[in-house]
Amino acid sequence: MKNFQGPAPRGSQDRRTLLDRILDTPNLEHVVPRLQPELLHRVIQSCGLEDCGELVVLATPEQLTRIFDLDLWRSAQPGMDEQFDADRFGVWLEVLADFGASMAAQKLTEMDPDLVIVGLAQHARVFDCAVVTPYRTTDGVESAGIREPDHGFACEVGGYRLVAKRTDSWEAIVAILISLDAEHPDYFHQVMRGCRALSNSGRELDELDNLLAEKDQTMFDLALDRERRRDEKGYVPPAQARVFLEMSRRLRLESETMPPANPVALAYLRSLGETTAAHSAPPGLSPSKGPAPEDPIQAAAALADLLLEAGIITQQPRALLNGSHDQTSDHNGALRHIRTHMQVVLDCDHAAYARRSEELTYVANTIMAGCGLQGRPFTAQEASDAAVAVCNLGLENWPPLWITPRNASPTGRSLKKKSLPDDFLVDHDLLTVFQVGWTVLHKDVCLYAAGRLLEVLAGLRCDDRNAQTGLDALRIELSTCCRAGMPWRARESLDVIAILDMPAWMALLGLIDECPVLHAALGASRNPRTHSVSASAFEFISENSQIASIREFMESLPETLRP
């Protein structure tokens, strides 16, 4: 059996070394506010939030707002809608409190009060002290007030009674609120009144049961505000991304006429409007932070170089077309179609090139928001690589019936396979090109591999009873998922294949997925001289030659899996 090596994660020592080099940057207090929020967030992700307090305290309110949009919302699985992460909010408060409750309170006043209210309300119930104080009514009845939990995490701050719902981060929350009450009373009472309103569990029976409860309405409003901000930055909501990707799998390539551009994507791009790139600033730095002394600008450029070296700054989709050495370009001629066509557009029509670049960015953002990769979220670089690869595949498989020469009548077109004109992308959008490639991936890779595996399973018999039971269960579940058009939902049941052949199992996991990839194990399964394969080694499928190798692998599968 071949040895599979997992990816080598960045060790704690490496993270600490990188962070130390960042903190040694001259004039850091001027440099950090100039960092784009997305870049600062990647630094936090790479080095760990708990160790990045010195950077956090230097961040501007605008940066923190954008970072919270990225960091405080998590989805249960890739491509699903994101929910507010209360535990992560508590960690942020702990990091701020480590630099003093007064400083943390000041930082809170710079944040959106609704965000602070929602975050704190997930950690504590808030009541007026008068409500929870025991008292005797005029009828002599004793009232015990609000019953508190047995854990004992409760206190009074500024006339309010706080009862913990979560015990993690409790000390930091109390310390910050005490300082907030003393130094920023108006903001403190605004937040406490909001938390108090969300702590009320009951609702009046006024025939308005179809309305959202106040806590649900507040969370909805907070999520809506976040979505608006992310729209301005070009992020695609997960629900919209899923719709686009699902529609893209169902393109009819045998149709006589090319379909119109996807309405979901067009509506989003139209609402997004034109955006301008910061060509004059170093990568990952914002030019909108006002003038800065010469030394901080030089320090910012040096920091950008450091982050690029560490892999924190990644290439944008546009740069991938100009010869970046991504993982899909290692073999000869990879991405030839997309590179050639985009270069022609750049040479002859700058406006069209800008539109194609915007469309490519939209596709990359859609992949990252609405799709998973091997059961995990895409990274930004992987989403960019996948977008370019799928577009290259779409150009190679563009239906002949959809090719209309310039100044020619659409009638009388030949069914014969013909190459696209060099200036094809001047008049054709990359949205449809991507959809062609995405459809080919779904039908000729994912559905084909799943269907062929079902045929193999039907005739496969194993002496091990448990293994045979697992194979039968896989065949039933995979068949059900194939009928629904989503074979990847049977992903966990594929584990039984590992008992028979580990490389084949890894290869099948790559092929039967939302975004199929060519795993290095596919070649290793047919090459007995290969003794070690990294579990993270794969290529995005960008060419028909790769699909041909996949078919060869699937044809050899019965022999490979034979006990």
Side-chain angles (χ1 to χ4, degrees), residues 80-107:
M80 295 294 102
D81 293 334
E82 297 167 315
Q83 304 295 326
F84 184 81
D85 189 338
D87 291 331
R88 185 65 170 177
F89 180 78
V91 175
W92 275 91
L93 294 183
E94 290 184 62
V95 170
L96 292 173
D98 285 342
F99 288 82
S102 179
M103 190 283 302
Q106 176 61 44
K107 280 291 183 182

Short mmCIF file of all heavy atoms in Angstrom, two decimals, residues 80-107:
data_model
loop_
_atom_site.label_atom_id
_atom_site.label_comp_id
_atom_site.label_asym_id
_atom_site.label_seq_id
_atom_site.Cartn_x
_atom_site.Cartn_y
_atom_site.Cartn_z
N MET A 80 -22.71 26.54 2.60
CA MET A 80 -23.96 26.79 3.30
C MET A 80 -23.98 28.21 3.87
O MET A 80 -22.96 28.88 3.98
CB MET A 80 -24.15 25.77 4.43
CG MET A 80 -24.31 24.33 3.94
SD MET A 80 -25.83 24.06 3.00
CE MET A 80 -25.22 24.07 1.31
N ASP A 81 -25.18 28.68 4.26
CA ASP A 81 -25.32 30.01 4.80
C ASP A 81 -24.56 30.13 6.12
O ASP A 81 -24.51 29.19 6.92
CB ASP A 81 -26.79 30.35 5.03
CG ASP A 81 -27.56 30.46 3.72
OD1 ASP A 81 -26.93 30.78 2.71
OD2 ASP A 81 -28.78 30.23 3.73
N GLU A 82 -23.97 31.31 6.34
CA GLU A 82 -23.14 31.52 7.51
C GLU A 82 -23.97 32.07 8.68
O GLU A 82 -24.90 32.84 8.49
CB GLU A 82 -22.01 32.49 7.17
CG GLU A 82 -21.06 31.94 6.10
CD GLU A 82 -20.14 32.98 5.54
OE1 GLU A 82 -20.62 34.09 5.23
OE2 GLU A 82 -18.94 32.69 5.40
N GLN A 83 -23.59 31.66 9.87
CA GLN A 83 -24.26 32.10 11.10
C GLN A 83 -23.25 32.80 12.00
O GLN A 83 -22.05 32.53 11.96
CB GLN A 83 -24.86 30.90 11.84
CG GLN A 83 -25.83 30.07 11.01
CD GLN A 83 -27.07 30.83 10.61
OE1 GLN A 83 -27.56 31.68 11.37
NE2 GLN A 83 -27.60 30.55 9.42
N PHE A 84 -23.77 33.72 12.83
CA PHE A 84 -22.91 34.46 13.75
C PHE A 84 -22.30 33.50 14.76
O PHE A 84 -22.99 32.66 15.37
CB PHE A 84 -23.74 35.52 14.47
CG PHE A 84 -22.93 36.41 15.37
CD1 PHE A 84 -22.21 37.48 14.86
CD2 PHE A 84 -22.87 36.18 16.74
CE1 PHE A 84 -21.47 38.30 15.68
CE2 PHE A 84 -22.14 36.99 17.57
CZ PHE A 84 -21.43 38.06 17.04
N ASP A 85 -20.99 33.62 14.97
CA ASP A 85 -20.25 32.74 15.87
C ASP A 85 -20.00 33.46 17.19
O ASP A 85 -19.08 34.27 17.32
CB ASP A 85 -18.92 32.34 15.22
CG ASP A 85 -18.18 31.25 16.00
OD1 ASP A 85 -18.45 31.09 17.20
OD2 ASP A 85 -17.33 30.56 15.41
N ALA A 86 -20.84 33.16 18.18
CA ALA A 86 -20.75 33.85 19.46
C ALA A 86 -19.45 33.53 20.20
O ALA A 86 -18.87 34.40 20.86
CB ALA A 86 -21.95 33.47 20.34
N ASP A 87 -19.00 32.29 20.10
CA ASP A 87 -17.75 31.91 20.78
C ASP A 87 -16.57 32.70 20.22
O ASP A 87 -15.68 33.13 20.98
CB ASP A 87 -17.50 30.41 20.64
CG ASP A 87 -18.50 29.58 21.43
OD1 ASP A 87 -19.00 30.08 22.45
OD2 ASP A 87 -18.80 28.45 21.01
N ARG A 88 -16.54 32.88 18.92
CA ARG A 88 -15.45 33.64 18.30
C ARG A 88 -15.50 35.10 18.75
O ARG A 88 -14.46 35.73 18.97
CB ARG A 88 -15.56 33.55 16.77
CG ARG A 88 -14.41 34.20 16.01
CD ARG A 88 -13.08 33.50 16.24
NE ARG A 88 -12.06 33.98 15.33
CZ ARG A 88 -10.79 33.58 15.36
NH1 ARG A 88 -10.38 32.70 16.25
NH2 ARG A 88 -9.92 34.08 14.49
N PHE A 89 -16.71 35.65 18.89
CA PHE A 89 -16.85 37.02 19.39
C PHE A 89 -16.25 37.13 20.79
O PHE A 89 -15.58 38.11 21.12
CB PHE A 89 -18.33 37.41 19.41
CG PHE A 89 -18.59 38.80 19.92
CD1 PHE A 89 -18.37 39.91 19.12
CD2 PHE A 89 -19.05 39.01 21.22
CE1 PHE A 89 -18.61 41.20 19.59
CE2 PHE A 89 -19.29 40.29 21.70
CZ PHE A 89 -19.07 41.38 20.88
N GLY A 90 -16.46 36.11 21.61
CA GLY A 90 -15.88 36.11 22.95
C GLY A 90 -14.37 36.10 22.92
O GLY A 90 -13.71 36.77 23.74
N VAL A 91 -13.78 35.36 21.98
CA VAL A 91 -12.32 35.33 21.86
C VAL A 91 -11.80 36.72 21.51
O VAL A 91 -10.77 37.17 22.04
CB VAL A 91 -11.89 34.30 20.80
CG1 VAL A 91 -10.37 34.36 20.58
CG2 VAL A 91 -12.30 32.89 21.23
N TRP A 92 -12.50 37.43 20.61
CA TRP A 92 -12.09 38.79 20.26
C TRP A 92 -12.09 39.70 21.50
O TRP A 92 -11.18 40.50 21.69
CB TRP A 92 -13.02 39.37 19.19
CG TRP A 92 -12.62 39.00 17.80
CD1 TRP A 92 -13.03 37.92 17.07
CD2 TRP A 92 -11.70 39.71 16.97
NE1 TRP A 92 -12.42 37.91 15.84
CE2 TRP A 92 -11.60 39.00 15.74
CE3 TRP A 92 -10.96 40.87 17.11
CZ2 TRP A 92 -10.80 39.42 14.69
CZ3 TRP A 92 -10.14 41.30 16.06
CH2 TRP A 92 -10.07 40.57 14.87
N LEU A 93 -13.12 39.56 22.33
CA LEU A 93 -13.17 40.39 23.54
C LEU A 93 -12.02 40.04 24.48
O LEU A 93 -11.44 40.94 25.12
CB LEU A 93 -14.51 40.19 24.24
CG LEU A 93 -15.76 40.69 23.49
CD1 LEU A 93 -17.00 40.50 24.35
CD2 LEU A 93 -15.60 42.16 23.09
N GLU A 94 -11.67 38.77 24.59
CA GLU A 94 -10.55 38.37 25.43
C GLU A 94 -9.24 38.96 24.92
O GLU A 94 -8.41 39.44 25.72
CB GLU A 94 -10.45 36.85 25.48
CG GLU A 94 -11.56 36.16 26.25
CD GLU A 94 -11.34 34.66 26.32
OE1 GLU A 94 -10.31 34.25 26.91
OE2 GLU A 94 -12.17 33.91 25.78
N VAL A 95 -9.05 38.94 23.61
CA VAL A 95 -7.82 39.49 23.03
C VAL A 95 -7.72 40.99 23.33
O VAL A 95 -6.66 41.50 23.70
CB VAL A 95 -7.79 39.23 21.51
CG1 VAL A 95 -6.66 40.01 20.85
CG2 VAL A 95 -7.63 37.74 21.24
N LEU A 96 -8.83 41.70 23.17
CA LEU A 96 -8.83 43.14 23.46
C LEU A 96 -8.61 43.40 24.95
O LEU A 96 -7.86 44.31 25.32
CB LEU A 96 -10.16 43.76 23.01
CG LEU A 96 -10.41 43.81 21.50
CD1 LEU A 96 -11.83 44.29 21.22
CD2 LEU A 96 -9.40 44.71 20.81
N ALA A 97 -9.23 42.58 25.80
CA ALA A 97 -9.09 42.78 27.25
C ALA A 97 -7.67 42.55 27.73
O ALA A 97 -7.25 43.11 28.75
CB ALA A 97 -10.06 41.86 27.99
N ASP A 98 -6.90 41.74 27.01
CA ASP A 98 -5.51 41.51 27.40
C ASP A 98 -4.69 42.79 27.35
O ASP A 98 -3.63 42.87 27.98
CB ASP A 98 -4.88 40.46 26.47
CG ASP A 98 -5.35 39.05 26.78
OD1 ASP A 98 -5.89 38.83 27.88
OD2 ASP A 98 -5.20 38.16 25.91
N PHE A 99 -5.16 43.79 26.61
CA PHE A 99 -4.45 45.06 26.53
C PHE A 99 -5.10 46.13 27.40
O PHE A 99 -4.85 47.32 27.23
CB PHE A 99 -4.39 45.53 25.07
CG PHE A 99 -3.46 44.72 24.22
CD1 PHE A 99 -3.87 43.51 23.69
CD2 PHE A 99 -2.16 45.13 24.00
CE1 PHE A 99 -3.01 42.73 22.93
CE2 PHE A 99 -1.30 44.37 23.24
CZ PHE A 99 -1.72 43.16 22.70
N GLY A 100 -5.93 45.68 28.34
CA GLY A 100 -6.55 46.60 29.29
C GLY A 100 -8.03 46.78 29.00
O GLY A 100 -8.44 46.96 27.85
N ALA A 101 -8.82 46.75 30.07
CA ALA A 101 -10.27 46.89 29.92
C ALA A 101 -10.64 48.25 29.35
O ALA A 101 -11.59 48.38 28.58
CB ALA A 101 -10.96 46.67 31.26
N SER A 102 -9.89 49.27 29.70
CA SER A 102 -10.18 50.62 29.22
C SER A 102 -9.99 50.71 27.70
O SER A 102 -10.84 51.27 26.99
CB SER A 102 -9.28 51.64 29.92
OG SER A 102 -9.54 52.94 29.43
N MET A 103 -8.89 50.15 27.22
CA MET A 103 -8.64 50.16 25.79
C MET A 103 -9.70 49.34 25.05
O MET A 103 -10.20 49.72 23.99
CB MET A 103 -7.24 49.63 25.49
CG MET A 103 -6.76 49.81 24.05
SD MET A 103 -7.49 48.63 22.88
CE MET A 103 -6.96 47.09 23.62
N ALA A 104 -10.05 48.17 25.64
CA ALA A 104 -11.05 47.31 25.02
C ALA A 104 -12.41 48.02 24.96
O ALA A 104 -13.13 47.92 23.96
CB ALA A 104 -11.17 46.01 25.80
N ALA A 105 -12.75 48.75 26.03
CA ALA A 105 -14.02 49.49 26.04
C ALA A 105 -14.02 50.56 24.96
O ALA A 105 -15.02 50.78 24.27
CB ALA A 105 -14.24 50.10 27.41
N GLN A 106 -12.88 51.23 24.79
CA GLN A 106 -12.77 52.25 23.74
C GLN A 106 -12.98 51.63 22.36
O GLN A 106 -13.67 52.18 21.51
CB GLN A 106 -11.41 52.93 23.82
CG GLN A 106 -11.13 53.94 22.71
CD GLN A 106 -12.12 55.09 22.70
OE1 GLN A 106 -12.45 55.63 23.75
NE2 GLN A 106 -12.61 55.45 21.52
N LYS A 107 -12.39 50.44 22.14
CA LYS A 107 -12.55 49.75 20.86
C LYS A 107 -14.02 49.38 20.62
O LYS A 107 -14.51 49.45 19.50
CB LYS A 107 -11.68 48.49 20.81
CG LYS A 107 -10.22 48.74 20.51
CD LYS A 107 -10.05 49.22 19.06
CE LYS A 107 -8.58 49.41 18.71
NZ LYS A 107 -8.41 49.92 17.32
#
